[in-house]
Amino acid sequence: MGKMVTKGVKENDLPEVKSNTGMWKFFVYSFIGAFMFFVPVTIGEKNSIMLDHIVTFLRANVSGVLPYYALAIIAAGAVYPFASGTWKKSGVDKVFSIFKVVGLLVGVMIVFNIGPAWLFDPDMGPFLFNALVIPVGLLVPIGAVFLALLVGYGLLEFIGVLLQPIMRPLFKTPGRSAIDAAASFVGSYSLGLLITNRVYKEGKYSAKEAAIIATGFSTVSATFMVVVASTLDIMDMWLTYFWVTLVVTFLVTMVTVRIWPLSKIKDDYHPDATPQPEQKAEGNRFAAAWKEAKETVGQAPRLADNVVQNLKDGFLMTMAILPTILSIGLLGLVLAEFTPVFDWIGYLFYPFTWALQLPEPMLVAKASALGIAEMFLPALFVAEAALLVKFVIAVVSVSSIIFFSALVPCIVATDIPLSIPKLVVIWVQRVILTLVFVTPIAYLIL
């Protein structure tokens, strides 16, 4: 994925690729990837995308093995920071490494049925483990295989060049960030952030542009959205949910880039980089996009190598997030159940949920507040609510982008100049704006 963003987009700067040999990969592999993520298929009584069908099949046929598989991933994720030495990189890394160990302890207690009674309340540990940990543990690695096809063979580069004319006016970012935005939305926020950070350090994004991309486009991937939709039983409207979420997320970003704190971040470049601002594309844009796609296909690794690398990235990502889903997710559930913390935070959003005439406005406000801890918690909290509430919260949980169990430590670990207080402010802004944008849409379509 790194190649996608770091290349120039000026037609004349692209290497001359005279032959279309191999471009069947652009069509065939991209089609297979898109089919797996975006085309609903009816199997039995269920209409859903193929990725969801694969996970449903595995959960039905190897259910006895899955808790131990998930626990093995959690154990690997808890050990990895200490084995690799990454736990001591910063204070934030130390804190989150401890949370991963706590996640392992919680996982052991749930799988082997030992521990306090409150942990085994159906809405606590078992719900978290069965509704989130196991589906995520399956979906992310399997999704990573098909992401190799979707993002590895020129489709995102092709779209990115075509979208250049809208990126700067709408989002105040270079055209090349269209690729970043698309890759992060359908791919992986962690890999998207790594790309953004690298391009910033190379001098191809300014600090402001990198901050906008990190907080405006680095959503959880389509695979995570499948988990949210499944939890809320709205997979029968998957395409509607996906496209509404994409549109609302980018509408919210259009607003946040124009208000503090993002608007006040300086357009300075990384101190160790030579500034390389993007040149405006010239000539036939479609031809430039096709050349970009051809270059990517020409440089793409063999399919087997690409799949193996993406599968490895998928497992590393799963190892990073499953322990914190259990520890921070459980902490969030405990705070929501036994303390008024999220009620207090929810009062930030209650005036908006009430004014928008949402059903159960306090429930929606509290669920929205839960997203700062872990992006899946809002979905768990409204799983039994009305369809309108479930749809709104499904979009809010993705569009708000910033959450402490995974994205915040990823951003803090980069060179991008974003502090935790600023990230919290941006989260509040995104939740409010998402509620404002998605509620009228939800009323129209439901």
Side-chain angles (χ1 to χ4, degrees), residues 69-111:
Y69 158 78
L71 188 60
I73 298 282
I74 291 165
V79 169
Y80 186 77
F82 299 97
S84 62
T86 55
W87 70 276
K88 55 189 173 186
K89 277 169 54 179
S90 70
V92 173
D93 285 298
K94 289 173 185 173
V95 170
F96 280 93
S97 297
I98 293 168
F99 268 115
K100 288 177 181 178
V101 173
V102 173
L104 174 58
L105 295 174
V106 172
V108 168
M109 287 193 286
I110 291 171
V111 170

Side-chain angles (χ1 to χ4, degrees), residues 247-258:
V247 169
V248 168
T249 299
F250 290 170
L251 281 173
V252 170
T253 300
M254 282 171 56
V255 178
T256 57
V257 302
R258 289 166 168 81

